[in-house]
Amino acid sequence: MRSKTLAAVSCLSLLAAVPALADSSSYQTPHLDMHAGDETVTLDGVQFINHGLVGVGRLSGDSRDFAGETLGSFSSMAVDRASWKRLPDGSYTGTITTLPDRGPNDVGNVKGTVNYRDRLNRFTIRFTPYTGSDDLPQATASQSQLMLTPAGGLFLRDAKGTPMTGMDPAHNVVMQNGIPMPIVARGEAAGRVSLDPEGLAYAPDGSFYVSDEYAAAIYHFSAAGHLTGVIPAVPALMPRTDGRIDFNSVKAPDTGRRNNQGLEALTITPDGKHLIAMLQSATVQDSTPKEKQTRNVTRMLVYDIGKSATPQKPVGHYLVELPVYNDEGDGGAANNTAAQSEMVALSDHQFLVLARDGIGRGATGSPSKTPVFKSVLVIDTRGASNLAGTQYETGTKAVAHGGHVVSGLVPVQQAELVNLLNPVQLRRLGMNLDTLPSTPTTLSEKQEAMGLLPMLDPATPNDYFLLIGNDNDFEAKNGMVDGMAFDASLKGDHGSGVNDNVVLVYRLTLPPLAR
């Protein structure tokens, strides 16, 4: 068993106190894990165990959803724990709901975003954990431990019942009930709310929340998918250009969330009392223009939803330091940030966070042959600075300069729990890491969804299955959206064919009090 330990100090303090660890969150070459068995990590005196990859499931990139359109895979995921059952043969069955993002780009004569109706997709799943030790053939048939069967879905609609759209709102902002909203001004989607959905979290009453990339807002929906309320971006995250709010995703704002780096992650604590959202990477004011490695200090917001479903101000505001890496993986200095894509609450202070590079199947412009960093971190907010209500939140005062947290602010504690770049475990289930060219069984670039389900074994009551889903960017060959056929399959040196919808399954042991 491999063991990793991190003391109860912040990452910033670690770097200052122990110079030998100064590069511990900076990766110049591929960060690979060659261990086949268990790995233990200790954070603040508490142990977490990663037992490794125990299953993979996939659906073809040419699959269609309940609306007859190309299935957009997993920008986020919500598991239905009430439906989750362990069967006498040791397999499992249940239901999950997944969230696609804003839809495909550049379809037909349409340049950029299209009028893709925002939606949720549901699946029934059947899971049989892999218990063997032999490597499976490098073939898609080897990834059948998790079987996903489409089971319907729903469209996300505004308060009037009109479907929301993934189309870029450009510079059009409309005030609704005192809240600035991104609204399409022209074309077939005119008047519709623009939503680039990235995070999904269900409340105990069956309603749910979706976080947005355009507005860095959080939308609250009824169980049927109708908008019931909005939590707007705090001033520090609100995108502004020349002082004006601007939700477009093409022209970069002067302050606030970066383009296509909005509220990427969303989760609710196990007690149902707090909603947590996290920005994908640093705000504009917290980073240096054109230096992607300085986008590493991101923000995590905590909302009390015990009294109001849509509180307008957070009660918690924390800093999270993300890993940085060299995107060629050739040993050069870090020049990019492993932005976070998803989070899962373990308690009111412990969370799993998925951070990744932009390398893998689907990344046609990737300069590296092998991914450099894709890992699940465990973080703890205890001892971190709470910036809620301070000038760092109510204004645009920077929390970081040049990739370093400003003096006096303490970010969350963190440690690495699951390294997805484990060729030994991937090969065991017929997967690989090679990207030049990639194959259908190459690990996808965008790992973006997570869900946690109990193992339901009395002998191991603290064991869980962690599901990690990819976002395949609608890279289908026989695609269909808004009545238009399209071919977005991969071509060229980076591989060919569709980019499948894939879910990885890991087994974890979590602290008894974590959930």
Side-chain angles (χ1 to χ4, degrees):
M1 178 183 291
R2 182 189 181 205
S3 181
K4 297 177 283 187
T5 302
L6 183 67
V9 293
S10 75
C11 289
L12 183 65
S13 299
L14 260 178
L15 298 181
V18 189
L21 297 181
D23 293 329
S24 61
S25 60
S26 180
Y27 302 91
Q28 285 74 44
T29 58
H31 177 52
L32 305 183
D33 184 352
M34 304 302 293
H35 291 77
D38 296 353
E39 295 185 81
T40 298
V41 61
T42 301
L43 179 63
D44 200 19
V46 179
Q47 281 195 343
F48 302 77
I49 303 175
N50 169 25
H51 298 283
L53 184 66
V54 294
V56 182
R58 69 171 59 234
L59 287 172
S60 168
D62 275 337
S63 299
R64 300 289 176 92
D65 64 16
F66 68 95
E69 297 186 321
T70 295
L71 175 67
S73 61
F74 319 121
S75 283
S76 191
M77 177 189 303
V79 298
D80 181 2
R81 296 188 66 174
S83 71
W84 185 242
K85 296 178 176 58
R86 188 171 189 261
L87 304 179
D89 64 358
S91 65
Y92 298 81
T93 185
T95 303
I96 64 173
T97 300
T98 65
L99 177 75
D101 59 18
R102 66 184 180 182
N105 293 330
D106 300 328
V107 174
N109 295 323
V110 179
K111 297 300 181 183
T113 57
V114 300
N115 183 25
Y116 177 76
R117 293 168 292 178
D118 296 309
R119 67 199 69 187
L120 302 182
N121 292 307
R122 291 198 177 97
F123 300 86
T124 57
I125 59 174
R126 177 78 177 248
F127 177 53
T128 304
Y130 182 73
T131 57
S133 58
D134 297 332
D135 292 352
L136 297 179
Q138 293 270 321
T140 57
S142 298
Q143 292 92 55
S144 59
Q145 296 78 31
L146 181 69
M147 306 299 294
L148 299 101
T149 303
L154 57 83
F155 291 115
L156 303 182
R157 302 176 184 273
D158 65 17
K160 298 178 180 179
T162 303
M164 298 170 116
T165 179
M167 185 171 284
D168 192 307
H171 307 289
N172 196 44
V173 178
V174 176
M175 297 298 293
Q176 294 184 354
N177 299 317
I179 295 175
M181 297 287 285
I183 305 294
V184 177
R186 300 185 179 88
E188 62 175 315
R192 294 188 181 185
V193 176
S194 293
L195 170 62
D196 185 358
E198 294 293 349
L200 171 67
Y202 269 83
D205 64 1
S207 64
F208 60 91
Y209 296 86
V210 172
S211 60
D212 178 39
E213 196 108 78
Y214 291 131
I218 303 171
Y219 297 93
H220 184 231
F221 295 89
S222 69
H226 290 258
L227 184 66
T228 60
V230 181
I231 302 174
V234 297
L237 272 59
M238 187 71 76
R240 292 180 180 271
T241 301
D242 296 328
R244 298 173 57 185
I245 295 173
D246 191 340
F247 295 130
N248 91 94
S249 65
V250 179
K251 185 180 184 299
D254 298 327
T255 58
R257 64 97 180 111
R258 307 190 77 86
N259 284 347
N260 302 306
Q261 299 280 296
L263 291 182
E264 187 79 9
L266 196 64
T267 188
I268 290 178
T269 53
D271 60 11
K273 295 180 180 180
H274 291 94
L275 175 70
I276 296 91
M278 191 184 297
L279 205 63
Q280 189 166 11
S281 67
T283 63
V284 175
Q285 66 266 24
D286 297 334
S287 54
T288 304
K290 299 182 180 181
E291 294 186 13
K292 295 182 180 180
Q293 75 276 13
T294 69
R295 301 179 184 180
N296 59 316
V297 182
T298 192
R299 299 170 183 240
M300 170 181 169
L301 304 176
V302 181
Y303 293 90
D304 183 351
I305 55 174
K307 297 180 181 179
S308 169
T310 52
Q312 300 299 287
K313 296 181 179 180
V315 296
H317 186 153
Y318 302 100
L319 304 182
V320 180
E321 293 178 302
L322 299 170
V324 295
Y325 68 98
N326 178 275
D327 62 12
E328 294 189 11
D330 61 1
N335 58 8
N336 215 329
T337 293
Q340 71 80 26
S341 292
E342 181 74 298
M343 66 187 305
V344 173
L346 302 179
S347 68
D348 62 357
H349 59 90
Q350 293 174 327
F351 306 87
L352 300 181
V353 175
L354 175 59
R356 62 166 183 83
D357 57 24
I359 307 167
R361 184 163 175 83
T364 55
S366 168
S368 176
K369 178 179 175 63
T370 303
V372 179
F373 188 92
K374 298 184 194 294
S375 292
V376 177
L377 313 174
V378 56
I379 69 170
D380 196 320
T381 59
R382 290 178 299 185
S385 301
N386 185 351
L387 307 182
T390 70
Q391 56 190 332
Y392 298 107
E393 176 182 284
T394 60
T396 57
K397 185 174 182 179
V399 301
H401 298 292
H404 301 285
V405 176
V406 301
S407 177
L409 301 184
V410 180
V412 303
Q413 306 170 64
Q414 63 175 276
E416 181 185 43
L417 179 58
V418 179
N419 184 348
L420 276 63
L421 303 185
N422 186 317
V424 176
Q425 295 182 15
L426 290 170
R427 185 170 58 244
R428 188 183 298 157
L429 293 174
M431 300 282 288
N432 69 81
L433 291 175
D434 296 330
T435 65
L436 293 174
S438 69
T439 70
T441 56
T442 298
L443 189 67
S444 292
E445 169 204 4
K446 295 185 177 181
Q447 306 297 322
E448 292 205 358
M450 290 198 298
L452 198 62
L453 288 164
M455 192 170 170
L456 301 178
D457 186 343
T460 54
N462 298 317
D463 280 18
Y464 292 80
F465 295 119
L466 176 65
L467 281 61
I468 302 178
N470 72 326
D471 173 6
N472 72 343
D473 274 342
F474 296 84
E475 288 170 335
K477 180 174 180 59
N478 299 304
M480 177 62 66
V481 64
D482 196 27
M484 298 180 290
F486 67 91
D487 179 357
S489 57
L490 304 176
K491 301 176 178 67
D493 294 340
H494 292 267
S496 60
V498 301
N499 191 5
D500 286 341
N501 311 281
V502 179
V503 178
L504 310 176
V505 186
Y506 292 83
R507 177 183 167 188
L508 307 178
T509 298
L510 302 176
L513 299 180
R515 268 190 96 78

